[in-house]
Structures are given as structure tokens and as C-alpha cells.
């Protein structure tokens, strides 16, 4: 049985990627949640994760860290992680890699915090550029492969890589085109993401550095998290 170590569901966008992929592909795993800021717990688990970060996956004697490496490890053992069609697979891998190494302004201006809604105080040009690129990329995938997911009819790893962006869109409401909005909603309606969202709302824990990042870019208009 795989063991997947993740951070708090409200905040941990990187953790969400392998988690939602495992859930969507119905691959059994044990979930271990490490609370941000809990130094004693993190000190113990830093020994397990070579990068000292989440997510990481433990499979017997093998530890795999970094969300992209985890997805590729899963692809070696399970069908359906990437699309079967080589052209769709190449597109999906490119888009996932672009998300993994890019979209810096989107990440820093709109950090994931599933349970709140935020009005941004401004939209810096770099953020507008990332959002425009996101729209173009999603539209391209949806049109090229016919939907309902980015690289065809089935949820694959590329959708897992953009699942945190759907939560970011729900929180910050940045402007996307109509097809991209429909896609973001489709992701948010998946049973797996609904489960993640419920768990995130149930967390009463607050990570001050994450919350401060949000307050630096805008004002909180609603907070649905448990107190
Ligand atoms: N590139 C890594 C990023 C992992 C990462 O930054 N994880 C954050 C949580 S979302 C973390 O573990 N932060 C805790 C720390 O840096 O101490 C991946 O894709 O897994």
C-alpha cells in the first residue's frame, strides 16, 4: 500500500496533485497529513523526505519526493496516468511541466487557500500574463482533444497538475474565458476534489505565513473554514 505524505489541505497545492490523481485513478493509498508549523512532526518527517517538503510517496523501501516525480513513478506502475495517445501524452506532459516550473506570478499572487474568498487589491501585469497564458493553454487542450478534460475524455496527470489552479480560481475569481471556467467548475465538481474541499474546510488550523501571503495581495471577503 502506498503511503502519501501531504500538507494541510487548505494550503498545500503541491500535495493536492498526487492525491487527486491517486483518487481519480482509484489507486489505493494511505494518507498522512503533516500539519504546517508543527515542528516536532516535521522534524521527524524531514528524515523521510529528502527535500524536507511534501508531498512525498513511500512505496516499500522506495521514497519518491516532488509531485512530478511521484506522478512519473505512478505512471511506471499504473495505466491511465498519462493519455494513451502519443500526441495527447506529449501535450499533457508539456502542460504539466509548464505548470510545474512556471506560472510564478499566479503562484505568488494567488496562493492556494481553499476555504476563503479574496478580492485582489490589484492585478499586476505578471499575474495578468499568467492568467492569459492559463486561459490559452486550457482552451488549446480542451479544443485539441475534445474535452471534457485537458488531454481528452479522461482525467489524467495534467488535470491533477491544474487542480490547485481551480481552487485558486474559486478563491480569487481571476478572469478566465468561458471554456476555461467550465473546465475549472468540472474539476471542482469531481467527488475527489469535493472531498478535499470538505476536509480543507474542516481544518481549524491556520498557517500564519500562508494567511499573511493572502493579506498582502488583497482582502478576504469570505472565510468558510471551521474555527
Ligand atoms: N516542487 C515540489 C514543491 C514542494 C513544496 O514546496 N511543498 C511545500 C508545501 S505545498 C512544503 O513542503 N513546504 C514546507 C517547507 O518548505 O518546510 C513538489 O512539486 O512537490
Amino acid at each position: 500500500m502506498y503511503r502519501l505524505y501531504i500538507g494541510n489541505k487548505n494550503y498545500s497545492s503541491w500535495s493536492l496533485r498526487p492525491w487527486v490523481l491517486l483518487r481519480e485513478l482509484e489507486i489505493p493509498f494511505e494518507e498522512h497529513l503533516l500539519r504546517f508549523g508543527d515542528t516536532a512532526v516535521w522534524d521527524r518527517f524531514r528524515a523521510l523526505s529528502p527535500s524536507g517538503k511534501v508531498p512525498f510517496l513511500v512505496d516499500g523501501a522506495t521514497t519518491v519526493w516532488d509531485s512530478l516525480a511521484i506522478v512519473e513513478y505512478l505512471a511506471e506502475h499504473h495505466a491511465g496516468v498519462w493519455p494513451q495517445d502519443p500526441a495527447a501524452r506529449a501535450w499533457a506532459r508539456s502542460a504539466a511541466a509548464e505548470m510545474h516550473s512556471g506560472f510564478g506570478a499566479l503562484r505568488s499572487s494567488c496562493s492556494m487557500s481553499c476555504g476563503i474568498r479574496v478580492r485582489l487589491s490589484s492585478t499586476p501585469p505578471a499575474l495578468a500574463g499568467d492568467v492569459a497564458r492559463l486561459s490559452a493553454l486550457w482552451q488549446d487542450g480542451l479544443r485539441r482533444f475534445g474535452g471534457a478534460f485537458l488531454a481528452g475524455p479522461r482525467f489524467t496527470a495534467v488535470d491533477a497538475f491544474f487542480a490547485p489552479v481551480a481552487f485558486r480560481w474559486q478563491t480569487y475569481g481571476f478572469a478566465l474565458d468561458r471554456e476555461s471556467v467550465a473546465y475549472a467548475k468540472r474539476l471542482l465538481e469531481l467527488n475527489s476534489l469535493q472531498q478535499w474541499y470538505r476536509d480543507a474546510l474542516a481544518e481549524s488550523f491556520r498557517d500564519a505565513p500562508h494567511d499573511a501571503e493572502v493579506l498582502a495581495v488583497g482582502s478576504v471577503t469570505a472565510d468558510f473554514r471551521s474555527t
Side-chain angles (χ1 to χ4, degrees), residues 12-14 17 36 42 46 52-55 66-68 100:
S12 190
S13 56
W14 305 92
R17 297 163 167 188
F36 288 120
W42 275 82
R46 276 189 211 287
K53 291 183 188 297
V54 286
D66 192 286
S67 54
L68 186 54
H100 199 57

Coordinates of all heavy atoms in Angstrom, one line a residue, residues 12-14 17 36 42 46 52-55 66-68 100, ligand 1:
S12 N -2.0 23.2 0.9 CA -0.9 22.6 0.2 C -1.2 22.2 -1.3 O -1.7 21.1 -1.6 CB -0.4 21.3 1.0 OG 0.8 20.8 0.4
S13 N -1.0 23.1 -2.2 CA -1.3 22.9 -3.6 C -0.5 21.8 -4.2 O -1.0 21.0 -4.9 CB -1.1 24.2 -4.4 OG 0.3 24.6 -4.2
W14 N 0.8 21.7 -3.8 CA 1.6 20.6 -4.4 C 1.1 19.2 -3.9 O 1.2 18.3 -4.7 CB 3.1 20.8 -4.0 CG 3.7 22.1 -4.2 CD1 3.8 23.2 -3.4 CD2 4.4 22.5 -5.4 NE1 4.4 24.2 -4.0 CE2 4.8 23.8 -5.2 CE3 4.7 21.9 -6.6 CZ2 5.5 24.6 -6.2 CZ3 5.4 22.6 -7.6 CH2 5.8 23.9 -7.4
R17 N -1.8 17.5 -6.0 CA -1.6 16.9 -7.3 C -1.6 15.4 -7.3 O -2.5 14.7 -7.9 CB -0.4 17.4 -7.9 CG -0.3 18.9 -8.2 CD 1.1 19.3 -8.4 NE 1.2 20.7 -9.0 CZ 2.3 21.2 -9.4 NH1 3.4 20.5 -9.4 NH2 2.3 22.4 -10.0
F36 N 1.4 22.0 8.8 CA 2.4 23.1 8.6 C 2.7 23.7 10.0 O 1.7 23.9 10.8 CB 2.0 24.2 7.7 CG 2.0 23.7 6.3 CD1 0.8 23.7 5.5 CD2 3.1 23.3 5.6 CE1 0.8 23.3 4.2 CE2 3.1 22.9 4.3 CZ 1.9 22.9 3.6
W42 N 7.3 17.8 11.8 CA 8.1 18.0 10.5 C 9.5 17.5 10.7 O 10.1 17.0 9.8 CB 8.1 19.5 10.1 CG 6.8 19.8 9.3 CD1 5.6 20.0 9.8 CD2 6.7 19.8 7.9 NE1 4.7 20.2 8.8 CE2 5.4 20.0 7.6 CE3 7.6 19.6 6.9 CZ2 4.9 20.1 6.3 CZ3 7.1 19.6 5.5 CH2 5.8 19.9 5.3
R46 N 11.1 15.1 8.1 CA 12.2 15.6 7.2 C 13.2 14.4 7.0 O 13.8 14.4 6.0 CB 12.9 16.8 7.8 CG 12.1 18.1 7.4 CD 12.9 19.3 7.9 NE 12.0 20.4 8.2 CZ 11.3 21.1 7.4 NH1 11.4 20.9 6.1 NH2 10.6 22.1 7.8
G52 N 12.7 17.5 2.5 CA 12.1 18.1 3.7 C 10.7 18.7 3.3 O 10.2 19.5 4.1
K53 N 10.2 18.4 2.2 CA 8.9 19.0 1.7 C 7.9 17.9 1.5 O 8.2 16.8 1.3 CB 9.1 19.8 0.5 CG 10.0 21.1 0.7 CD 10.1 21.9 -0.6 CE 11.1 23.0 -0.5 NZ 10.8 24.1 0.4
V54 N 6.6 18.3 1.5 CA 5.6 17.5 1.0 C 5.2 17.9 -0.4 O 5.3 19.1 -0.7 CB 4.3 17.5 1.9 CG1 4.6 16.8 3.2 CG2 3.9 19.0 2.2
P55 N 4.6 17.1 -1.2 CA 4.3 15.7 -1.0 C 5.5 14.8 -1.2 O 6.4 15.1 -1.9 CB 3.2 15.4 -2.0 CG 3.7 16.2 -3.2 CD 4.2 17.5 -2.6
D66 N 8.7 15.2 -4.6 CA 8.4 16.1 -5.7 C 7.2 15.6 -6.5 O 7.2 14.4 -6.9 CB 9.6 16.4 -6.6 CG 9.3 17.6 -7.5 OD1 8.5 17.4 -8.4 OD2 9.8 18.7 -7.2
S67 N 6.2 16.4 -6.6 CA 4.9 16.0 -7.2 C 5.1 15.4 -8.6 O 4.4 14.4 -9.0 CB 3.9 17.1 -7.2 OG 4.4 18.3 -7.8
L68 N 6.0 16.0 -9.4 CA 6.2 15.5 -10.8 C 6.8 14.1 -10.8 O 6.4 13.2 -11.5 CB 7.0 16.5 -11.6 CG 7.2 16.2 -13.1 CD1 5.8 16.0 -13.8 CD2 8.0 17.3 -13.8
H100 N 4.5 23.1 -13.6 CA 5.5 22.7 -12.5 C 6.6 23.7 -12.4 O 7.0 24.1 -11.3 CB 6.1 21.3 -12.8 CG 6.7 20.7 -11.7 ND1 6.0 20.4 -10.5 CD2 8.0 20.2 -11.4 CE1 6.8 19.8 -9.6 NE2 8.0 19.7 -10.2
Ligands
LIG1 N1 8.4 21.1 -6.3 C1 7.9 20.5 -5.1 C2 7.4 21.5 -4.1 C3 7.0 21.0 -2.8 C4 6.7 22.1 -1.8 O1 7.2 23.3 -1.9 N2 6.0 21.8 -0.7 C5 5.6 22.7 0.4 C6 4.2 22.6 0.7 S1 3.0 22.9 -0.5 C7 6.4 22.4 1.6 O2 6.6 21.2 1.9 N3 6.7 23.3 2.5 C8 7.3 23.1 3.8 C9 8.7 23.6 3.9 O3 9.2 24.1 3.0 O4 9.2 23.4 5.0 C10 6.8 19.5 -5.5 O5 6.4 19.5 -6.6 O6 6.5 18.6 -4.7

